[in-house]
Amino acid sequence: MKKALITGITGQDGSYLAELLLSKGYKVFGLKRRTATPSFENISHLLDNIELISGDLLDLASLIEAIRISQPDEIYNLAAQSFVTDSWSQSAYTGHASALGVTNMLEAIRITNPNIRFYQASSSEMFGKVLEIPQIETTPFYPRSPYAVSKVYGHWITVNYRESYGLFACSGILFNHESPRRGYDFVTRKVTDAVAKIKLGLQKELFLGNLDAKRDWGYAGDYVKAMWLMLQQNKPDDFVIATGETRSVKELVEVAFSHVGLDWTKYVVQDPKLMRPAEVDLLLGNPKKAEEKLGWKPEVSFDELIKMMVESDLEKIKAKKYIK
Ligand code: NAP
Ligand code: GDD
């Protein structure tokens, strides 16, 4: 039986990846950092089938111990301070977790068992103020936030450990991917949660920042398949994972509100406080390499994704408030 260790297992991607690996017969371990009030919302249905190990990306010894306990064939490093906005107010912490945390995990692998295959959760945010459209694996990086800067470090340290020590280390450059398990801070979930509350008469307005920013949005359930595929290849490599389509925040809002028969212009208020100090205006990925080498393709369309999220939020809120 193959064994995998997932960092960030309580997050959106960690939960979908754990489900995927369990369905493939893996024994799944998850690194769980100590928090005063743990949130298992995304993995509560999996807790009987996975093993959680206490540890933190900032603590090398805890990572070595996690590897000793789990003896994994594969490690998926999904843990990070992943919210771009907060990376300005907590820039040093973001660097510790999302940049040096990657070095800690790579060092833990190098010291304990260099045969472990490693996946690093890199990001399309690294392309930032884009130097090429669409973005591919060779497009130069121009990060626009402390988060993106830390991810550039995480990407290159992964490449460096592959080249220095021959580790089977892959960097997945994933464009935005969403789902009903997305954190409420991110714009898709903020919108679908608000649409559901407005529809049910529980909220009146939705405050947003930049409506013109464009993102290449896909479905998280599709994207974790690409992570797994990268670690099943004969050679380690880096891949862009994207849909090849881009939409503005305004289009996202239109699709979400119109799904419940509402006119978004009556509810959305632009708030200058929600604008970022430096914005990423446009992300659009070309996943050709992943299609050709991994046989990977996104399956859920943008409209299906937003509809899925709105429906899920309507159900969750109704269940909480006992609304029919
Ligand atoms: P997420 O929902 O924010 O989950 C982040 C996870 O990291 C949580 O489980 C969190 O644990 C854990 N974590 C944070 N700091 C940690 C630390 N110091 N030690 C151990 N665990 C820690 O993120 P996601 O959307 O699933 O994304 C997964 C990864 O992909 C992240 O690295 C993100 O930066 C990257 N990425 C995401 C996207 C996207 O669109 N979703 C695109 C490209 C790249 P707690 O529950 O304790 O907070
Ligand atoms: N969060 C948020 N909240 N974003 C808003 C809002 C708002 O009220 N109003 C407008 N936006 C715009 C942001 O300015 C940004 O241009 C866009 O919506 C998307 O913001 P997020 O959903 O927060 O995601 P992100 O693109 O910054 O980062 C996500 O994707 C990256 C991959 O490109 C995160 O998941 C990162 O961890 C990930 O690496």
Side-chain angles (χ1 to χ4, degrees), residues 8-14 31-33 35 55-58 78-82 93 97 121-123 147 151 174-178 182 186:
I9 194 159
T10 56
Q12 170 187 258
D13 291 6
L31 190 83
K32 173 73 189 89
R33 64 176 168 164
T35 46
D56 196 300
L57 276 192
L58 303 184
L78 310 186
Q81 192 302 92
S82 74
Y93 170 72
S122 293
S123 166
Y147 166 82
K151 283 289 177 181
L174 271 54
F175 283 63
N176 299 49
H177 45 280
E178 321 292 315
R182 187 58 144 151
F186 302 93

Side-chain angles (χ1 to χ4, degrees), residues 81 83-97 146-147:
Q81 192 302 92
F83 187 40
V84 172
T85 301
D86 281 4
S87 75
W88 278 282
S89 58
Q90 300 172 42
S91 59
Y93 170 72
T94 300
H96 285 299
Y147 166 82

Side-chain angles (χ1 to χ4, degrees), residues 32 34-40:
K32 173 73 189 89
R34 198 264 163 189
T35 46
T37 316
S39 166
F40 294 126

